[in-house]
Amino acid sequence: MAGSMLITGAGNGFGREVALRLAERNHDVIAGVEVIAQVADLRAEAASRGANLRVEKLDVTDPGDRAKAWSWDVDVLLHNAGTAEGGAVADIPAEHLRRQFEVNTFGPVLLTQGFARAMAAKGSGRIVFMSSIAGVITDAFTGTYSASKHALEAFAEALNQELAEFGVAIATVNPGPYLTGFNDTAMERWKEWRDDPSRRMFDYENLAFPREQFDPEPVFEKTIEVLTGGTDRYRNVVPAEMESPVRSQQDAVWDRKQNDGTGTRGELVQQAYDTAPATPAD
């Protein structure tokens, strides 16, 4: 059995269900949630499921919360905390761009620093980053989110090399589009912008997440497999059948011309206009 585990962003989404399932299976789990209001809610659900789950307030962007967390004895760390906001690169306001990097990149990396030292001192540990296929490819209207995940992938790769001699394992989980509400909500965040709508390049009232979305069940079990050492793969794309098209999209960049598509609307841009929100995959 893996040792004690810390899961950030466990107040909702993938992290919440993974934390609950691990606790149900008698793993020693600390579920970190962003705001104090989520603590009682998650404790109540854990109790209703007969799971012994420790819930702590842990906002990864808060230096005080990060310092508090470093006092916990953690053998496996899952960086699940994240946020997404759709919008064209030319439109998204600066404060919204910065917020995605604070939550998705800077917070997790700064939290990692203290745990990396502690794990290195023990000579063992595992650090897992909940990345995304957006960490290795980019779609229209996800440039900021993808950039934050690309940066996270770079830090993970550096850590993989730097911590090898200390016995600390690094891995990423890279989900495709899953129907959790995360992607669809991201495409509504423009409603929070304090900008001049007349200057926007796109009509966000009529845009939706441009891909069909899968049932999230495989992500829960793949993440648990990675956390508990059931696989030794560094990068774990879910669903597995997306790995080939992701590789193909990465490779296609090498042959792209500067003016490819000039004067025509991009395929995924058009899909964002044509796709209904929360469209399930077949």
Side-chain angles (χ1 to χ4, degrees), residues 133-204:
I133 62 166
V136 290
I137 60 174
T138 306
D139 288 342
F141 307 119
T142 67
T144 302
Y145 177 73
S146 293
S148 70
K149 291 294 188 178
H150 274 63
L152 193 67
E153 291 273 345
F155 281 114
E157 177 61 24
L159 286 163
N160 188 57
Q161 298 176 47
E162 294 160 357
L163 298 182
E165 66 184 276
F166 300 103
V168 181
I170 307 294
T172 71
V173 179
N174 297 73
Y178 280 92
L179 196 53
T180 63
F182 184 80
N183 299 311
D184 297 294
T185 302
M187 295 300 293
E188 297 180 9
R189 298 288 295 277
W190 60 270
K191 296 175 182 178
E192 303 169 16
W193 296 356
R194 298 178 181 178
D195 64 338
D196 179 358
S198 69
R199 294 177 58 83
R200 296 174 187 164
M201 295 185 65
F202 293 92
D203 178 11
Y204 294 98

Side-chain angles (χ1 to χ4, degrees), residues 17-25 49 217 220-221 224:
E17 185 61 25
V18 168
L20 287 164
R21 291 191 186 191
L22 285 166
E24 286 176 322
R25 298 174 193 181
R49 292 170 59 162
E217 178 63 31
F220 305 146
E221 290 305 313
I224 290 171

Side-chain angles (χ1 to χ4, degrees), residues 7 19 22 24 35 40 42-43 59-60 70 90 104 171 174 205 232:
I7 298 174
L22 285 166
E24 286 176 322
V35 295
L42 184 51
R43 285 176 179 166
D59 178 351
V60 299
W70 291 334
N104 295 346
N174 297 73
E205 286 272 9
D232 61 358

